[in-house]
Structure formats: C-alpha cells, structure tokens
Amino acid sequence: MGASFVPITVFTVLWGVVGIVCPFFAPKGPNRGIIQVVLMLTAATCWLFWLCAYMAQMNPLIGPRLSNETLIWIARTWGKPYA
Amino acid sequence: MGSLFRSEEMTLCQLFLQSEAAYACVSELGELGLVQFRDLNPDVNAFQRKFVNEVRRCDEMERKLRYLEKEIRRDGIPMLEIPGECPEAPQPREMIDLEATFEKLENELREVNQNAEALKRNYLELTELKHILRKTQVFFDEMADPSREEEQVTLLGEEGLMAGGQALKLGFVAGVILRERIPAFERMLWRACRGNVFLRQAEIDTPLEDPSSSDQVYKSVFIIFFQGDQLKTRVKKICEGFRATLYPCPEAPADRREMAMGVMTRIEDLNTVLGQTQDHRHRVLVAAAKNIKNWFVKVRKIKAIYHTLNLFNLDVTQKCLIAECWVPALDMETIQLALRRGTERSGSSVPPILNRMETLEDPPTYNRNNKFTIAFQNLIYAYGVATYREVNPAPYTIITFPFLFAVMFGDLGHGALMAAFGFWMCYKEKPLQAKKIDSEIWNIFFGGRYIILLMGLFSMYTGLIYNDIFSKSLNIFGSSWQNNYNKTFLAENKLLQLNPDSEDYLQVPYPFGIDPVWQLAEANKIIFMNAYKMKISIIIGVFHMLFGVCLSLWNHIYFKRRISIYVEFIPQIIFLTLLFFYMVLLMFIKWVSYGATPGHFGEEDYVKTSSFCAPSILITFINMMLFKTDENTRPKCDPTMFAGQIGLQKFFVIVALLCVPVMLFGKPYFIMQERKKRALQGQQPLAETAENGTAGGAPVPASHHHDEDISEVFIHQAIHTIEYVLGSISHTASYLRLWALSLAHAQLAEVAWNMLLRKGLMSGGYEGGVFLYVVFAGWAAISISILVLMEGLSAFLHTLRLHWVEFQSKFYAGEGYLFQPFSFEVILDSAGQGEE
C-alpha cells in the first residue's frame, strides 16, 4: 500500500477548507448562493482530480521505460549517483 | 432577491393608466426595465394603431438625425458621448421643439450643401478654363512659329493655302475631358472626320474635384483644329458625346491674356466665398455634434414609448389605457414606485392601478444575472431557455464547464497564456467596453472573458496535475523513481525499464500530480497516461451524470411530482449507480489492491496482489453485463478482485435491469390508476393536481393532462426510458472524449517542442542564437495559434456538448421562453449596434 499520510492529509484538508469551511464565510448578499456553489464545486472537482492522479500512482503496475542517457541524467541531477 | 438556481417567479398583471399619465409612466418603466408588455391588439395592423402618427414623426426625426450624423462623419468631427449620462425620455410636448430644431438644422445643412456644390461647380469650370488658356498657349505658339510655315505649306499644298484668295483659316475648339477617355475620343474623332482634324492634348497635372461626388479626377486639356463648318458640328457632337466640356477660347493672344487675368481674379473671389461656406457648414456641424448622441437617445426613447403604448388597449370611456404585463413577483414594489413617480411627473391626480391576474399561461423565464454569470447563462440559453421555475444549470456550469475544459486542455503553459488573456480582459473591462470595438470575433472573446479566465486557471491546475508545461514536466517534490543500475549496465543497454516491484520505486507516489519521470519516458509514457486518463474520464463522467440525475430530484420535489420521484428518479439513480458507479469503484479498488509489496519484492506468495494479476476493468465490466466468468488464464491468479464479486455483480445487473420496466410502465400505470379513481369519484383527485402541479401559486392548466391519450403517455415514457438507458451507456463512453482530446493536446504540444524549439535549443555557437530566435518565433506562433486557439476552441466545443447532452439531458427540459422586458437600455444598445 503506497499511500503516504502527509500529502493525503494536506490536500484533503486544503480542499476541505475551500469547499466546506469557506462557504460559511461567503459574503452575504444576492450572490451568496452562487459563491457557495462555486467554492464547493471547485473544491470537489480539484480534490477529485488530485486524488485520481495520486491513487493512479500509488501502486504502479508498470515502470517508466527510459533511455540510458536519460537515466544517467536522472542519476546525476535527481540525486543518487550510480556506482 | 431571487437567486440564479431557478428563474424568478412571475405574475401577470393588469395595468390601468390615465391617458395623460400613460406616457410618463411607461417612460419610468422603460428606465426600470422590469416589465414585459403583452400585445393586446394582435389583430390590428401597424397602421391602424393609436399612436401611429407619433411613431412616424419619430421615424422622420431619426432620419434627419441620421442625415446629420452622416454629414458629421464626412467632416470627421468627433461626436461627443458623455459616458454614464443618459437623458431621460422628454415630455411629449418637447417633441415639437426637437422636431423644429432638427428641421431647421437639416434645411440649413441642405442649403449650405447646395450652395457649396454650386460654388464648387463654378470653381471647377474656372479652373478648367484657366488650364485651357495656359496649355493651349503652347499650341498657338507652335502655330505662330515661322519655321513651321514651311511645314504647313507642304502639308496643305499650294492651292490649299491660297484658297479663297487669302491664307486658309483653321477653326478650333478647346475643352477639357477625363483623361481615361482620351484614346477612345481620339479614335472616334479620326474615324468620324476621316482624319481631317488635328487633335492636340495636354494633361492637367493636379487632380480636380468632381463637385457631385467630391472625388478627385484627372483630366486633360485638348484642342482640335479643323476646317469648315461641317466638321465643326461633327466635332462638337463628338465632344458632347464624350462629356467633354468646351470653353470659348479667343484667337487673339491679347484677348487670351486678358481673359486669363479675369479668370484668375474670379477664382480668387470664389475661393474666399467657398472658404466662408465651408466654415459655416463646419460651425453648424460642430454645434450639432455636441448634442447628436443625446438627441438620438431622446428620439429613440420617445419612439419606444409610443411603440409600447400601441400595445395597450383603450377602455370604453377613452380616458384610460389598459395594459397587460409580466412582472417579476419580487419587483412589484419597485414597479409601483416607478408608476407613482410617473404619475407625479405628469401631474395627473389619479394613481395608476396594478392588478395581479390569474392565468393558465406559462410565464416567461427570467434569471437575474450579473456580468459574471451572464456568460455562463448564455451558454445554457444557447441550448434552450429553461422551463419556468426549472432548475437552472448555469450556477453549476460556472465550475464544471471550465473544469471539463481543463481536463482536455491541461497544460500549465497554455493555461497560463489563456488565463493571462482572460485576466487582461477582465482587468481592462471598463476601458475596453467603452471602446465599443465592432469586431464580431473580439466581441465573442470579450463576452466570454470570465469563462476564458476560469478556463485558463483550471487548465493551469490540471496542467500541474498532469505535470505538463509545454510538454515538459516540473520536478517540485522530488520524483518517486530512481536509478539503481550501475555504470557498465547503463552503458551497455540503450533502453531500460524501471521496475515498480523493486527499489526503483520509492513505494510512495509523487505527492501532487503525475510523477515527472513519466514525461521523460518516451517509450511507454503514452501507455501509462492513457490508462490513467481513460479512467479519470469515466470517473469524472459518472460523477457528472449522477449530479445531473440528482438535480432532476430537486425538480421533482419542487414541482411536487411525487410519482416521478418513485418511478423515474429512484430507478434512474439505481440503474446508474449499480452499473456505472460500480465500475468507478472497481477502478479505485484496482488502484488500491494491486501493486508491489514493500519488503517482499517479486516473491511468489504475493503474486495475487501484484501487478501480474491485475485484471482489466473493461473486460470485467463486459463480463458482468454478459453474466460470464472468464477463467483467469494467468497461473496462480484469482479470477475475481474480491470475494463474492460474481454474485454481487449478478445481483447488481438484475436489479438494474428490473429498474427498466419500472421506468417504462410506472408512470403510465399511476396515471391510469388516477383516472379510474377520478372516474369513480367524479371529481379531480389530489394526486393528479400534484402530478402536473406547478408551485408558487400559479394555477394549473387543469385540462392539459387528462386529454392526453394513454397510448401517448406510453409512447412518451418509452422514448424517455430508452433514451435514458441507452443514453447512460453511450454517454459514459462519450466522456472518453476527455481522454482523447487531452491525449491529442499533449501529443501536439510535444511534437511542436521536439520539431521546433528542441532543434533551436540544440544548435550551438553564434549562428545558433540567430537560429533559436527564428525557431522560437515559429514555435510561439504554433503554440498560440494551434495549441491555444484551435485546440482551445475544439476543447470548448466538446465541453459544451458534454454539458448540453450528457449533463442536461438528465434533468433539463429547456422549453421555456425568455422574459424580454421593455427596457430603454436594451433598445438603445441594439439601435446603437444597428447603426454602426
């Protein structure tokens, strides 16, 4: 199970605040309802989209197929130089 | 205040206006723009109405104003327009003043123009004469040249010269002709006079102004020599035919000189007079330009008021006008106030009466939009105007539209460009609006500025998640993949695959979006991205459709269609959930339950949950529908994803299929039941009212439903059911366009990068810089024109389709008609656009 606690919490809380907490503080007026819907839908769509990207990679079934030059570059610049 | 979720409640009102107060009251209502009048004399044609005369007078005034405007434009005088200042509709008695003013102005202008034209014609004649005198001088000089005498002798012969006992006298005519007519003129002369005339011509260098069309034309001076009267008449006829103007030209040089002097002085005089005339015209026009926009507004307002008054009925005593109008129920107060203001202004003592009326008619649909929501509302209206008080999809579209667009358009770079353009239009909103740019394409963009801004912002977000910026990726949080091969292995193998079932993968995904390594994996990036994007397309699609079906519940509750909830909404949602939402769940289950087990990489015991045993969701789903169980061909793998899957799936499919007859026969059955009951009781039962009831106090068109034949009900319901059942399959598949467009966009961006910018970036040296400069221009042009504009347009259209068809078909009838209030603002706007 390749889930990690921190990112899931951070992004869920972030979009939760936008979609659940913020609507309570929407300014009063004729547009209050619209602002609430906008906030909730934004949070829902963005969270779902992030979640899908995260879960699709939790347990990858295939690994990236790279050319050796790219791998050498990755090893040098992304840390973990090869032996 | 009303909200955007449903259209406003409307009431039909009857309005009684005192004849003398009617004008002022309607004017106030026009300023308000909240009342839609109905035509009460539809059978009376336009010429027989009461205020035809006034409308005609307004038309006449408008014509005069347009004439004035045209003249002002011709002189290039700027027309003042004070923004934010709009004159009120003037009192009827002011109309006479206005008419008099316009009449005076028009006459003055016409007179001035006539004078100016006469003067110009005169001036033209004099200038032409001046040129003739100047140019022909050369010809005469040549003739007088003694050295040519000999030539003349040889040409005409002895007897010719001595004919009549004295030196032969040649006659001549001089004139001016359009330059392009010269060749034809010459040929004609030669043929008609058999070569017996002699034509000399010289071009006038400066163009002359044609007074009738005020074009600049080039002309030539000519002089024709000939002998005898017969030729003279012939030549003159030809000149006439070619529209040449002939001028008298004295033969003696002294006379000519004198004439030239006279012409010069006359030209001078004419010039001063002409200048004064022009000055006068200019003064008149400048004065008019200051007010012309105001006048236009006033006249158009008067005209609109009389048009509206023409819709009213006259009561028997002729003292009072009766109008019928649709009014938003919430604005009754405001309208009453406006009417009171109107009465006060007209000085009438009897207040107008506003009466609510009961009606069976469907009221118009009116949504109170602001400048932000109107663009989204228009997208919905383009499909169909909502039925009265139906759920309005526009508030949800504000977010779902840009989101679905962004799923297809996901690219941080392109999204940023789009968002920047949208932001600029929103930021410069007022100045841009004031400019009144009259290009259709610009107006489309500007009208959709908030949509563009939101689409750009959402594209930036989805671009970040796709980790795609101009087909490159950002490594913000550190990739989850690493290299574990050593130097020699790397040197020997060209293509190497990282194994997720090993230390290559950190076993914790990249926290935000797609791992940057995939953008580098040119060999199998598409395989991974396709699997991911297809799944999210279906997930998003199913959620979108479920949302649409839930909105239909809200409609049923609001219209109190209780039976529809039981036999339409509930089976619909069960059908969709058990089949398609279940498929979505399978995707999540697959994501969670198949993969590497840390600490036991590649061990036999864990093969059942490894990627080796991961099933295909599509095959699973197809098998589920066909009640088939595929034996898993791979050794050691389970045929199912979880225990009891086969039984559960069978149950789901059977329940979902059972929903179909409920949808098909439920409603007709209940309607039949109701009818039987009513026939027994001989009165209208309660549930029937609920069945076709409209809420909000509007009475029900009671006879409507009963007359419908039961077979028609069946057919209607059958179409509805088939549409829904087949629709949910095809609509789910239709959401795959999210994947297809997104794939196409990513691929095009990559091709643009690899084919152009990459070549430029790889070139070295001094020339390389120049090359890069050129290549960058090409890449930027393609990025903007194809990837942002064209791809953006296609993604926009696909998003529109997903909303109109896949989303709205679940709950939206769209059979209403739009509320079109009588509003000066709208009338002036459309009139202003028409004239430009």
Side-chain angles (χ1 to χ4, degrees), chain B residues 107-118:
Chain B
N107 284 342
E108 201 171 344
L109 211 58
R110 280 199 194 279
E111 210 169 300
V112 168
N113 278 355
Q114 261 170 17
N115 285 345
E117 206 185 311

Side-chain angles (χ1 to χ4, degrees), chain B residues 376-387:
Chain B
F376 295 95
Q377 188 71 61
N378 282 336
L379 288 181
I380 305 296
Y381 282 163
Y383 175 79
V385 176
T387 314

Side-chain angles (χ1 to χ4, degrees), chain A residues 1-4 7 11 15 30-31 33-34 37-38 41-42 45-75 78 80 82-83, chain B residues 4-5 370 396 398-399 403 461-462 465-466 475 479 481-487 490 493-498 500 505 507-509 511-515 517-518 521 523-524 532 536 588 591-592 594-595 611:
Chain A
M1 243 18 55
S4 152
F11 286 107
W15 288 119
N31 295 321
I34 297 293
V37 163
V38 162
L41 277 176
T42 310
T45 51
C46 289
W47 180 77
L48 179 71
F49 202 68
W50 166 83
L51 184 79
C52 288
Y54 192 83
M55 290 188 71
Q57 295 179 96
M58 262 174 19
N59 296 302
L61 302 182
I62 56 167
R65 202 169 159 78
L66 302 155
S67 81
N68 53 356
E69 285 171 19
T70 316
L71 268 177
I72 292 167
W73 179 84
I74 285 175
W78 291 0
K80 197 160 197 272
Y82 48 81
Chain B
L4 203 54
F5 296 99
N370 54 30
Y396 317 106
I398 292 172
I399 293 303
F403 175 68
Y461 181 78
T462 53
I465 295 272
Y466 287 154
N475 187 7
S479 173
W481 296 83
Q482 58 186 10
N483 168 46
N484 281 321
Y485 299 112
N486 60 28
K487 197 176 179 181
L490 279 173
N493 295 283
K494 194 90 193 88
L495 270 178
L496 288 164
Q497 185 153 12
L498 301 183
Y505 178 56
Q507 302 302 327
V508 177
F512 186 75
I514 301 296
D515 199 294
V517 81
W518 288 106
N524 66 350
Y532 158 67
I536 61 166
F588 280 99
W591 277 339
V592 171
Y594 292 92
S611 59

Side-chain angles (χ1 to χ4, degrees), chain B residues 21 32 42 104 107 143 178 221 279 335 406 425 450 571 626 673 695 726 743 792 807:
Chain B
L32 207 59
K104 204 181 119 225
N107 284 342
M143 276 230 320
L178 281 178
V221 168
D279 269 1
I335 290 160
M425 280 195 292
Y450 289 103
L626 300 176
Q673 286 281 318
L726 295 185
L743 171 74
F807 178 54

Side-chain angles (χ1 to χ4, degrees), chain B residues 205-221:
Chain B
D205 302 324
T206 47
L208 302 168
E209 195 189 326
D210 183 2
S212 48
S213 65
S214 70
D215 287 338
Q216 299 286 325
V217 286
Y218 285 92
K219 290 190 168 184
S220 285
V221 168

Side-chain angles (χ1 to χ4, degrees), chain B residues 230-504:
Chain B
Q230 211 182 347
L231 272 179
K232 183 174 182 177
T233 46
R234 210 176 276 176
V235 164
K236 279 200 168 159
K237 273 212 181 111
I238 292 171
C239 290
E240 218 172 275
F242 277 85
R243 299 270 169 98
T245 21
L246 299 178
Y247 291 97
C249 186
E251 267 179 74
D255 290 352
R256 279 206 300 273
R257 202 163 306 129
E258 203 173 300
M259 195 168 178
M261 301 273 278
V263 166
M264 287 311 280
T265 45
R266 274 167 66 196
I267 285 181
E268 297 271 298
D269 292 349
L270 213 57
N271 255 339
T272 42
V273 178
L274 209 58
Q276 275 165 6
T277 322
Q278 290 295 4
D279 269 1
H280 180 61
R281 179 186 142 91
H282 196 77
R283 268 199 305 277
V284 170
L285 287 180
V286 167
K290 273 184 201 145
N291 289 320
I292 189 145
K293 290 280 175 190
N294 257 349
W295 286 337
F296 259 123
V297 171
K298 279 184 181 172
V299 169
R300 280 177 184 148
K301 279 189 175 177
I302 302 175
K303 196 174 145 191
I305 290 172
Y306 281 118
H307 258 306
T308 310
L309 288 177
N310 268 339
L311 303 176
F312 294 2
N313 236 340
L314 216 58
D315 99 332
V316 227
T317 55
Q318 300 262 329
K319 281 206 179 125
C320 160
L321 287 164
I322 306 165
E324 273 181 30
C325 51
W326 288 110
V327 167
L330 287 168
D331 286 319
M332 293 286 273
E333 289 281 302
T334 345
I335 290 160
Q336 293 276 21
L337 271 176
L339 287 174
R340 204 161 304 149
R341 269 204 308 276
T343 330
E344 272 164 28
R345 239 176 41 161
S346 66
S348 161
S349 52
V350 187
I353 304 158
L354 191 67
N355 251 351
R356 274 178 191 243
M357 281 169 77
E358 298 291 311
T359 178
L360 301 179
E361 256 181 276
D362 288 330
T365 305
Y366 174 48
N367 285 309
R368 241 180 265 265
N369 281 293
N370 54 30
K371 64 180 179 178
F372 174 68
T373 54
I374 187 73
F376 295 95
Q377 188 71 61
N378 282 336
L379 288 181
I380 305 296
Y381 282 163
Y383 175 79
V385 176
T387 314
Y388 178 62
R389 298 295 280 159
E390 183 181 35
V391 166
N392 180 13
Y396 317 106
T397 309
I398 292 172
I399 293 303
T400 54
F401 192 91
F403 175 68
L404 287 188
F405 173 87
V407 172
M408 296 188 244
F409 197 72
D411 185 308
L412 182 57
H414 299 144
L417 289 175
M418 186 175 269
F421 178 56
F423 179 76
W424 173 74
M425 280 195 292
C426 297
Y427 186 69
K428 294 261 174 194
E429 192 172 51
K430 292 230 168 78
L432 286 171
Q433 223 154 22
K435 263 191 200 163
K436 287 204 173 141
I437 301 167
D438 198 35
S439 143
E440 203 175 331
I441 294 178
W442 165 256
N443 284 332
I444 290 173
F445 277 130
F446 188 68
R449 57 193 179 280
Y450 289 103
I451 303 181
I452 292 176
L453 175 64
L454 279 181
M455 289 194 309
L457 290 177
F458 271 88
S459 298
M460 285 168 72
Y461 181 78
T462 53
L464 267 176
I465 295 272
Y466 287 154
N467 215 337
D468 194 348
I469 168 166
F470 299 122
S471 85
K472 297 288 125 188
S473 57
L474 299 168
N475 187 7
I476 303 171
F477 301 100
S479 173
S480 299
W481 296 83
Q482 58 186 10
N483 168 46
N484 281 321
Y485 299 112
N486 60 28
K487 197 176 179 181
T488 43
F489 196 76
L490 279 173
E492 280 165 13
N493 295 283
K494 194 90 193 88
L495 270 178
L496 288 164
Q497 185 153 12
L498 301 183
N499 184 7
D501 209 0
S502 74
E503 292 293 328
D504 294 351

Side-chain angles (χ1 to χ4, degrees), chain B residues 810-826:
Chain B
K810 303 287 182 287
F811 66 98
Y812 190 64
E815 283 164 345
Y817 66 99
L818 208 54
F819 176 59
Q820 283 166 318
F822 167 62
S823 155
F824 286 143
E825 209 183 326
V826 176

Side-chain angles (χ1 to χ4, degrees), chain B residues 547-605:
Chain B
F547 184 46
V549 177
C550 291
L551 288 180
S552 83
L553 171 68
W554 201 20
N555 259 342
H556 295 325
I557 293 176
Y558 182 81
F559 290 118
K560 302 207 174 73
R561 295 185 293 221
R562 238 182 24 175
I563 295 165
S564 291
I565 298 178
Y566 298 140
V567 299
E568 274 181 357
F569 168 72
I570 290 178
Q572 279 179 355
I573 201 118
I574 289 176
F575 185 83
L576 203 59
T577 311
L578 292 190
L579 298 183
F580 295 97
F581 189 70
Y582 173 69
M583 179 164 70
V584 167
L585 284 183
L586 283 184
M587 290 175 191
F588 280 99
I589 291 170
K590 182 179 171 183
W591 277 339
V592 171
S593 51
Y594 292 92
T597 323
H600 306 278
F601 289 132
E603 283 178 29
E604 284 283 302
D605 304 346

